[in-house]
């Protein structure tokens, strides 16, 4: 890997870590106003509004199972963990 590509890859990794870690702070802030499960639902809601007018059949049952066991479960457990930690909620 060239030196230029290596620097670009390291910057991309640093950016991903900064964005990912900032979600904990913003989630903790948001939970002072919204319950954990509602927040998890609000995070995923825009994906359900996606345009499906391409004429393809959407496998809603499979998407619901994957959504509930994957992303929704992850966000709900993360939010509950942040909500019930010993640190006080951000005012």
């Amino acid at each position: 890997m060239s030196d230029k590509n290596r620097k670009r890859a390291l910057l991309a990794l640093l950016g991903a870590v900064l964005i990912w870690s900032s979600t904990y702070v913003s989630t903790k802030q948001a939970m002072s106003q919204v319950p954990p499960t509602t927040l998890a639902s609000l995070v995923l809601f825009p994906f359900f509004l996606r345009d499906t007018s391409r004429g393809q059949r959407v496998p809603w049952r499979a998407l619901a199972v994957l959504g509930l066991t994957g992303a929704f479960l992850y966000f709900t457990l993360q939010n509950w963990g942040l909500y019930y930690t010993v640190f006080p909620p951000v005012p």
Side-chain angles (χ1 to χ4, degrees):
M1 182 184 292
S2 72
D3 212 27
K4 185 177 181 180
N5 286 341
R6 182 178 169 86
K7 286 180 184 179
R8 191 177 290 169
L10 288 174
L11 283 174
L13 271 173
L14 180 63
V17 167
L18 287 174
I19 290 170
W20 182 54
S21 62
S22 70
T23 62
Y24 291 102
V25 176
S26 60
T27 299
K28 188 73 170 178
Q29 175 70 30
M31 279 192 297
S32 65
Q33 304 292 322
V34 180
T37 52
T38 305
L39 187 61
S41 299
L42 290 174
V43 166
L44 298 172
F45 184 69
F47 295 104
F48 288 109
L49 299 177
R50 187 170 172 234
D51 182 23
T52 58
S53 63
R54 295 183 185 152
Q56 297 176 345
R57 185 166 177 253
V58 178
W60 289 110
R61 188 174 298 158
L63 287 176
V65 169
L66 290 173
L68 288 175
T69 59
F72 182 76
L73 184 63
Y74 167 78
F75 283 120
T76 301
L77 292 175
Q78 174 186 326
N79 292 347
W80 278 344
L82 287 172
Y83 187 75
Y84 292 112
T85 55
V86 294
F87 300 108
V90 180

